[in-house]
Amino acid sequence: MEGIKHQMVKVNGINIHIAEKGEGPVILFLHGFPELWYSWRHQILALSSMGYRAVAPDLRGYGDSDAPDSVESYTCFHIIGDLVELIDVLDPDVGKVFVVGHDWGAYMAWLLCLFRPDKVKALVNLSVPFLRSHREIKPVDFWRSYYGADHYISRFQKPGEIEGEFAEIGVERVEKELLTDFPVILPKGKLFKRPLDEPITLPSWLSEEEANYYVTVFQKTGYTGALNFYRNFNRNWELLKPWVGSKIKTPAKFIVGDKDLVYHMPGMKDYIHNGGFQEDVPSLQQVVVMEGVAHFINMEKPDEINQYIYDFFTQFH
């Protein structure tokens, strides 16, 4: 990871760790679960060599960034508050940057564009499209009704519970399982498909050394901060009521793998391809579905993703 600089930045009352490289217009990279700034390592190296200043924070609750204790400190407004201040630090003159998001980072990036379109020049989001709020049903309740009580999002809800189960298995196995084959269902007592005494084979895009970077960091921090994002799904749904029906006007491109668990959530393909997504994001310029690619798309296909990002942002100089 040669030439990547690390620093702590005070924003929104907390310390956020950022990794960065390069000179030029800022691209802000926002990671998901169970990840870190490090998930963008390929993008940081590539885009910094293409004339950009690539910046990837550890989101609040992750890695070397502060992790406030209370679950309520992880609503979408707290996260977006961090990002707005961070953008002002990174681009003090105009306060406007390019953004790339994946998973939770993508969800937050959509909301950043919804609340503060003045802060984002253009957006490339991976894996998670804009999530339209259902007027009656809270999201966790909807997923529970569809998948049952063992759905991973339901299992993440009760503070301390899944952390205890993860602790029994150990961070190393948990992290490697999550990155290798993210489970939609997490049954108690048998969280993962593989027996625990069976060695885990990492995917070709993740070396042992790379996987161990995540393991080392999560061994230090635990998972609570990261899980607290999920514990605010229903609270965010309530807080976002004033924006129901609002459009996102930021120029955007969306990329998803056809094997991504998000792509196979109920109603998702229909929403992405049959007009709903375009209706909510009128300036959505392109949807790319990558064949044979799963959830961690920017690590699985870094060269293609780097090129997609570069080609899209080049239009906005």
Side-chain angles (χ1 to χ4, degrees):
M1 295 292 99
E2 214 168 287
I4 295 179
K5 292 186 305 202
H6 295 266
Q7 60 168 319
M8 301 300 287
V9 186
K10 187 136 185 114
V11 294
N12 199 15
I14 66 168
N15 294 301
I16 291 283
H17 162 248
I18 63 170
E20 65 164 295
K21 186 174 185 183
E23 300 291 330
V26 173
I27 303 178
L28 182 61
F29 291 94
L30 306 175
H31 70 79
F33 178 89
E35 302 178 78
L36 299 160
W37 74 269
Y38 187 69
S39 291
W40 299 111
R41 58 197 176 278
H42 306 298
Q43 285 69 43
I44 293 171
L45 296 175
L47 275 302
S48 65
S49 73
M50 297 171 176
Y52 289 94
R53 180 182 172 199
V55 182
D58 284 333
L59 296 181
R60 153 187 306 240
Y62 281 88
D64 288 329
S65 294
D66 286 352
D69 290 336
S70 88
V71 173
E72 292 80 18
S73 296
Y74 293 82
T75 71
C76 55
F77 290 102
H78 293 84
I79 313 302
I80 306 303
D82 298 346
L83 299 177
V84 167
E85 275 199 46
L86 179 57
I87 289 168
D88 288 341
V89 170
L90 295 173
D91 188 47
D93 297 337
V94 187
K96 198 170 188 181
V97 300
F98 293 109
V99 177
V100 179
H102 171 256
D103 189 73
W104 268 106
Y107 176 73
M108 292 303 172
W110 293 120
L111 295 180
L112 173 64
C113 294
L114 185 63
F115 302 151
R116 295 298 303 269
D118 57 310
K119 293 281 160 207
V120 185
K121 294 178 186 174
L123 172 67
V124 173
N125 260 345
L126 313 175
S127 177
V128 175
F130 181 70
L131 300 175
R132 184 186 282 183
S133 275
H134 192 287
R135 285 178 191 271
E136 275 87 49
I137 308 169
K138 295 181 179 180
V140 178
D141 306 4
F142 170 70
W143 289 317
R144 189 181 285 128
S145 70
Y146 183 85
Y147 289 104
D150 283 343
H151 184 236
Y152 75 98
I153 292 174
S154 297
R155 296 278 278 115
F156 287 176
Q157 292 304 307
K158 195 176 170 190
E161 188 174 82
I162 196 76
E163 289 97 320
E165 294 176 48
F166 283 172
E168 283 176 33
I169 295 171
V171 168
E172 181 172 3
R173 184 64 181 225
V174 168
E175 186 65 21
K176 287 177 178 177
E177 286 280 4
L178 293 174
L179 290 173
T180 299
D181 189 14
F182 198 97
V184 180
I185 306 296
L186 284 171
K188 273 190 183 142
K190 195 185 183 315
L191 294 183
F192 303 111
K193 294 184 196 121
R194 260 174 295 267
L196 292 175
D197 54 6
E198 192 181 292
I200 188 162
T201 306
L202 294 174
S204 59
W205 49 266
L206 188 68
S207 72
E208 200 67 43
E209 191 184 5
E210 289 171 321
N212 286 333
Y213 184 89
Y214 293 95
V215 171
T216 305
V217 175
F218 281 104
Q219 277 171 338
K220 192 177 74 184
T221 62
Y223 285 101
T224 298
L227 292 162
N228 283 343
F229 283 64
Y230 291 93
R231 293 171 182 150
N232 281 282
F233 250 132
N234 282 355
R235 188 177 285 110
N236 288 339
W237 177 83
E238 291 175 11
L239 294 171
L240 288 167
K241 283 292 185 183
W243 286 271
V244 168
S246 282
K247 310 286 185 210
I248 290 172
K249 300 188 172 73
T250 308
K253 175 172 185 153
F254 177 68
I255 310 167
V256 66
D258 67 351
K259 292 187 159 41
D260 192 321
L261 77 164
V262 179
Y263 191 55
H264 294 277
M265 281 180 157
M268 198 62 86
K269 286 183 199 162
D270 179 61
Y271 173 73
I272 289 171
H273 298 295
N274 294 335
F277 190 14
Q278 190 77 55
E279 193 183 312
D280 290 340
V281 188
S283 48
L284 179 66
Q285 294 191 12
Q286 199 185 4
V287 170
V288 177
V289 180
M290 294 181 71
E291 280 182 29
V293 185
H295 183 63
F296 298 103
I297 187 165
N298 47 305
M299 292 194 272
E300 289 182 47
K301 295 286 177 201
D303 297 344
E304 291 92 324
I305 295 297
N306 297 342
Q307 199 59 50
Y308 279 133
I309 293 168
Y310 179 78
D311 291 345
F312 188 60
F313 289 162
T314 304
Q315 305 169 49
F316 301 98
H317 290 300

